[in-house]
Amino acid sequence: MSSTPENPRVVVIGAGIVGCSLADELTARGWTDVTVLEQGPLAAPGGSTSHAPGLVFQTNPSKTLTALARYTVEKFSSLDVDGVSCFHQVGGLELATTPERLAELHRRAGYAASWGVRGEIVGAARCKELWPLIDESVVLGGFHTPDDGLARALLACQAQIARATARGARFLDRHTVTGIEQTDGRVTAVVTDRGTFPADHVVSAAGFWGPVIGRMAGVGVPLQPLAHQYARTGPLPELSGSTAEASKPILRFQDRDLYFREHTDRVGIGSYAHRPLPVDPFAVLPYDEARARNMDMPSSYPFTDEDWAPSWADCRQLMPALRDAEIEAGFNGVFSFTPDGMPVLGESRQLRGFWLAEAVWVTHSAGVAKAVAEWMVDGRPSIDLHECDLTRFEEAQRSPSYVLERGARQFVEVYDVIHPLQPMERPRPLRVSPFHARQQQLGAYFLEGGGWERPHWYEANAPLVDALGPLPERDAWSARHWSPVAAAEAKATREGVALYDMTPLRRLEVTGPGSLDFLDRMTSNNLRKKPGAVTYTLLLDESGGIRSDLTVARLASDRFQVGANSPADLDRLLRHAPAGVHVRDITSGTCCVGVWGPLARDLVQPLTPDDFSHEAFGYFRAKETYIGHVPVTAMRLSYVGELGWELYTTADLGLRLWDTLWDAGRELGVIAAGRSAFNSLRLEKGYRAWGVDMTDEHDPFEAGVGFAVRMDRDDFVGKAALARKSEATRRLTPLLLDDPAAVVLGKEPVYLDGLPAGYVTSASYGYTLGRCVAYAWLPAGLPAGTGVHIEYVGEKVPATVADEPLFDPKMTRIRR
């Protein structure tokens, strides 16, 4: 079959559950020239799919992972082989044996309600009914999800192979990939030990062999395989007579890092409680050699009894029926982990046409395949995948040692109770701003993001707390990684002046003839302004979804500084930049101090030769000037709702800039303030955070940033799609919690008239307002004053729809 734009040649590497699902999804969309290459036998190729226990728990703190799992359940439930369903819907049950875990299960029930998964918190007696083998006395409660169950991965592979083959795909086993051919930065073929296969697109769905395939293509794959223990008991008298593969829910005992499933009259047990067992993907044996060494398959390593003993004791404590049982068989199965525990998906910019669909577990396999197929055929997936995008890791997070260390930690934390602000412990510190030493001297409490150390508050400001008066007492969960010092820093910003380290925010430089035309076409607002203008604008996709929000400063006729969000923004601009336009990331070589508060002008004006008055230096303007001895690019922007500037300079001069501002500000009472206060202040002003409040699943008008779209100007990416948009049915809506002492953190379900109607995106206590502020996606048209309830750890907290912005609606504090 000859290649055509409508039916390009696709080679998928790997016939595990992801590769088979992808072939099915691609051929269903009309791309039928699909070849799937597999180094092992098709029936059970020897990767993770061949040994995966098949447990599918849909609920996840990530909305994206939950959506991927929901589609996997939906699809596999619709497939069968010889009348046997590819999904066995026995339900799921997660147990709590500690108060901390029970609270976590309440949060998980909230995620389920937010993301549309059926589930309920049940008592110990109900847990015993669902799983009679457990000791009810050690259980405090559970989370029951009736639609979860067991994916029969190998059957699902068979079913999808048959469907894809009927549409024209071919599956070739015993083909070991040895090379990836390319010309002028584009993939052209896959080389195997049995021939070469021309290709317009190549997808690596090789599982833990992904780094091996990636190296052939010259594309890094930040994936670390680790072995994970799985054991099966002998027959249990309590299950004698069982004929079904399983009849009880799949079970998690997360307090001991264990899970269970039935195998007719036996119980299968998986453990994450043991030490990390990393596997070198370049040293994994070929299928036949593994079999020759008495291994079931390359992904099945010998069982390590010494690692199993503590888990076996925990199993027997939970299930008395196991006290007289023996382990009949066990193995250490290899799975893929990434530094953040998410899949790695998307097309490489360095090698066009080379796609990754890696680090995907059976739980999310069909959902990932659908999203990647949409991405390939339609140009974009139908759900937000920014958490899975292969571009999301910083360069500092791609070293083999980092991937190994963080991948191993992800294994350890699989079942841990993780706070949304909880930072990684190692390797830290990795990236620090030039102000780091001064921040340490001020007692900064650092959290981490993108490898950067980010101060969230400063203990040096603790004496300011006494002047606040009593603050609402926080529950133990919301008090983690929080301090009342944040309230003091917010107050000082509103009343005086504060320095904020904005260095971790991404900065790009776009230069060269044609830069204006390029940026104007790529973004939604009008950039055709004189040098010195700063514009808030949006990076949209072709369907009008918000890929990012940007601030674009025109510093010269053909030189721009772009404030962006993630490495994906750089990747997108580089993909589309025409010849002569240069885009580069300048973040690491520069730094930024935000100087904000009503006394900001009093601080900076004596230090600069330029006029910083409102008349001479208006809002959303930029100047290249000096602060003391330091050359800076000053931008009059404010994400905290107060007068001020962002001051940028090179990294080598950063410490001098900080010290200049600090010394000059002493008589004004200047403080350093952290991200905790920043987040509170920005929510009081209703400023959106991309990736949290809005993603490419949302258009600008429903997200409340339609002011950054100029539909009356020349064509730009996404304009045509926005013109076709109908009236929005949902809105990003501001809420104020009714109880001054109540706090929510984000991702909680919102109930309207007693039914789930949406979910919280961002939330923080608004110290100026004396109420917690929450933004939530809710049905459009809810008038201010509408009452709702937010479910927080099992409690329904009343809240009210509010008008925005909640603070300083006339912008008098910023524009003065």
Side-chain angles (χ1 to χ4, degrees):
M1 184 182 296
S2 60
S3 171
T4 68
E6 296 77 22
N7 193 26
R9 298 166 298 187
V10 180
V11 174
V12 178
I13 302 172
I17 190 62
V18 178
C20 293
S21 297
L22 181 58
D24 183 50
E25 295 287 342
L26 286 171
T27 55
R29 287 166 174 76
W31 281 22
T32 57
D33 190 354
V34 176
T35 301
V36 182
L37 302 175
E38 174 54 55
Q39 64 179 344
L42 280 180
S48 301
T49 301
S50 304
H51 67 71
L55 283 71
V56 176
F57 287 92
Q58 298 172 83
T59 304
N60 192 282
S62 166
K63 179 175 179 284
T64 295
L65 287 188
T66 302
L68 297 173
R70 286 181 64 191
Y71 181 78
T72 300
V73 168
E74 175 188 324
K75 182 175 186 180
F76 289 177
S77 296
S78 72
L79 299 175
D80 71 88
V81 176
D82 297 329
V84 179
S85 175
C86 294
F87 190 78
H88 189 23
Q89 201 162 60
V90 292
L93 179 62
E94 303 178 52
L95 300 178
T97 59
T98 66
E100 294 77 15
R101 180 66 62 180
L102 187 59
E104 172 70 1
L105 294 188
H106 277 287
R107 286 187 287 270
R108 290 184 64 77
Y111 300 143
S114 290
W115 316 145
V117 176
R118 288 200 303 156
E120 64 173 340
I121 298 295
V122 296
R126 177 60 175 153
C127 293
K128 177 74 171 178
E129 289 178 16
L130 292 166
W131 252 91
L133 274 62
I134 67 172
D135 180 356
E136 180 183 354
S137 69
V138 303
V139 176
L140 300 181
F143 176 43
H144 180 222
T145 47
D147 299 328
D148 289 339
L150 294 165
R152 296 181 173 118
L154 293 180
L155 280 186
C157 285
Q158 291 181 42
Q160 293 177 105
I161 287 172
R163 293 188 350 164
T165 301
R167 300 186 191 111
R170 57 178 175 167
F171 290 76
L172 304 176
D173 63 1
R174 302 293 186 170
H175 281 65
T176 299
V177 174
T178 59
I180 307 292
E181 293 185 349
Q182 53 185 287
T183 301
D184 296 329
R186 183 158 193 95
V187 70
T188 57
V190 176
V191 182
T192 75
D193 58 350
R194 297 176 65 180
T196 298
F197 296 83
D200 303 300
H201 296 273
V202 173
V203 185
S204 178
F208 56 77
W209 283 288
V212 178
I213 302 300
R215 180 176 290 183
M216 295 178 192
V219 175
V221 180
L223 177 161
Q224 177 59 53
L226 288 108
H228 155 59
Q229 289 201 303
Y230 191 78
R232 188 181 300 195
T233 69
L236 299 179
E238 292 80 1
L239 299 179
S240 64
S242 298
T243 57
E245 175 190 1
S247 59
K248 301 172 185 61
I250 52 177
L251 183 69
R252 277 175 168 168
F253 181 23
Q254 290 143 304
D255 288 325
R256 292 294 183 270
D257 295 310
L258 294 166
Y259 64 82
F260 304 83
R261 60 154 293 179
E262 295 169 281
H263 292 280
T264 311
D265 62 349
R266 294 161 168 81
V267 172
I269 308 164
S271 172
Y272 292 100
H274 56 83
R275 62 195 166 95
L277 299 168
V279 173
D280 181 356
F282 295 90
V284 175
L285 297 174
Y287 184 90
D288 292 325
E289 189 173 340
R291 297 286 288 179
R293 296 193 186 186
N294 295 318
M295 296 169 62
D296 287 341
M297 57 193 74
S299 60
S300 178
Y301 279 53
F303 196 66
T304 48
D305 292 307
E306 67 276 15
D307 292 309
W308 177 249
S311 290
W312 188 225
D314 290 331
C315 293
R316 289 169 158 174
Q317 181 185 11
L318 178 68
M319 296 187 188
L322 299 180
R323 290 169 188 171
D324 296 323
E326 298 294 335
I327 295 300
E328 184 177 76
F331 66 96
N332 290 359
V334 183
F335 288 82
S336 299
F337 289 81
T338 59
D340 60 3
M342 301 293 284
V344 180
L345 311 177
E347 182 191 24
S348 168
R349 177 174 50 80
Q350 289 78 15
L351 182 57
R352 301 294 181 90
F354 183 79
W355 296 76
L356 296 180
E358 296 291 4
V360 181
W361 291 11
V362 172
T363 300
H364 312 107
S365 54
V368 163
K370 176 177 182 282
V372 172
E374 292 171 336
W375 207 342
M376 296 175 72
V377 176
D378 304 326
R380 70 181 298 274
S382 59
I383 66 169
D384 167 46
L385 290 181
H386 83 272
E387 293 176 308
C388 309
D389 195 302
L390 62 86
T391 65
R392 69 186 182 274
F393 295 111
E394 304 286 344
E395 197 61 37
Q397 297 173 311
R398 290 180 168 273
S399 71
S401 58
Y402 184 94
V403 173
L404 170 60
E405 187 167 0
R406 292 305 306 155
R409 189 63 196 172
Q410 287 297 326
F411 176 91
V412 170
E413 294 178 350
V414 161
Y415 284 164
D416 285 3
V417 176
I418 303 294
H419 192 276
L421 293 176
Q422 182 172 321
M424 66 181 188
E425 296 176 0
R426 299 177 56 192
R428 290 181 66 195
L430 184 62
R431 307 176 78 187
V432 298
S433 81
F435 323 130
H436 186 69
R438 298 293 185 265
Q439 293 165 346
Q440 289 178 307
Q441 293 166 6
L442 294 170
Y445 183 86
F446 291 101
L447 298 182
E448 181 272 341
W452 287 100
E453 294 297 312
R454 296 186 172 197
H456 271 241
W457 67 84
Y458 296 84
E459 285 301 324
N461 296 323
L464 301 178
V465 174
D466 295 338
L468 292 176
L471 289 171
E473 187 173 342
R474 289 206 171 202
D475 67 281
W477 185 249
S478 66
R480 289 192 191 183
H481 308 295
W482 174 85
S483 168
V485 173
E489 292 175 0
K491 184 174 187 288
T493 305
R494 290 278 187 242
E495 296 178 356
V497 60
L499 305 184
Y500 287 81
D501 181 3
M502 306 302 288
T503 300
L505 299 185
R506 185 166 308 279
R507 291 172 292 285
L508 310 178
E509 183 182 69
V510 181
T511 58
S515 297
L516 175 60
D517 291 341
F518 166 61
L519 288 172
D520 204 45
R521 176 172 52 82
M522 293 296 296
T523 65
S524 63
N525 211 336
N526 176 29
L527 302 185
R528 296 188 179 279
K529 303 170 184 176
K530 294 178 180 179
V534 182
T535 305
Y536 177 80
T537 187
L538 304 173
L539 197 63
L540 304 177
D541 64 20
E542 287 72 12
S543 70
I546 305 170
R547 292 188 62 104
S548 188
D549 61 342
L550 311 175
T551 52
V552 179
R554 191 178 190 187
L555 302 179
S557 61
D558 57 2
R559 180 165 61 91
F560 296 81
Q561 182 171 308
V562 178
N565 285 296
S566 76
D569 298 342
L570 173 65
D571 184 82
R572 183 163 177 82
L573 293 177
L574 285 171
R575 284 176 185 270
H576 292 87
V581 173
H582 306 285
V583 183
R584 68 186 185 103
D585 192 326
I586 61 171
T587 310
S588 297
T590 56
C591 59
C592 177
V593 181
V595 184
W596 289 312
L599 300 181
R601 185 175 286 115
D602 296 325
L603 173 54
V604 297
Q605 184 60 84
L607 301 174
T608 179
D610 280 283
D611 186 352
F612 271 46
S613 69
H614 181 66
E615 294 74 19
F617 197 159
Y619 192 51
F620 267 83
R621 299 292 298 172
K623 283 186 180 182
E624 293 182 297
T625 182
Y626 292 87
I627 297 294
H629 297 93
V630 180
V632 300
T633 299
M635 298 187 196
R636 189 165 169 202
L637 307 174
S638 175
Y639 288 97
V640 300
E642 296 293 337
L643 171 70
W645 289 264
E646 293 178 358
L647 303 175
Y648 299 88
T649 192
T650 52
D652 60 319
L653 290 167
L655 192 59
R656 183 61 180 259
L657 174 62
W658 180 278
D659 288 345
T660 300
L661 293 167
W662 188 260
D663 292 343
R666 288 182 188 276
E667 63 184 34
L668 299 173
V670 69
I671 68 160
R675 297 289 298 181
S676 187
F678 177 91
N679 199 45
S680 171
L681 297 169
R682 72 102 180 163
L683 280 172
E684 289 183 332
K685 283 296 294 179
Y687 294 143
R688 277 61 167 154
W690 183 85
V692 179
D693 298 315
M694 57 189 186
T695 69
D696 59 7
E697 289 185 356
H698 309 111
D699 73 53
F701 304 108
E702 61 189 9
V705 289
F707 62 88
V709 178
R710 287 290 300 272
M711 294 295 290
D712 59 347
R713 69 176 186 83
D714 291 341
D715 192 29
F716 57 87
V717 174
K719 178 181 178 181
L722 291 180
R724 296 190 299 268
K725 291 279 185 181
S726 57
E727 187 68 23
T729 59
R730 60 184 177 179
R731 296 281 183 190
L732 187 59
T733 305
L735 304 173
L736 281 175
L737 274 61
D738 294 352
D739 182 352
V743 173
V744 299
L745 300 180
K747 300 188 178 181
E748 297 89 355
V750 182
Y751 291 80
L752 178 64
D753 298 328
L755 298 174
Y759 60 91
V760 174
T761 57
S762 293
S764 179
Y765 201 85
Y767 302 108
T768 316
L769 303 173
R771 292 284 191 281
C772 183
V773 180
Y775 270 77
W777 281 101
L778 290 172
L782 296 181
T786 301
V788 299
H789 286 84
I790 303 172
E791 184 177 329
Y792 178 73
V793 197
E795 299 289 331
K796 297 291 199 311
V797 180
T800 302
V801 173
D803 286 321
E804 62 174 341
L806 302 169
F807 176 78
D808 188 26
K810 295 184 178 180
M811 303 284 282
T812 56
R813 298 177 70 87
I814 293 177
R815 302 177 186 274
R816 60 180 176 183

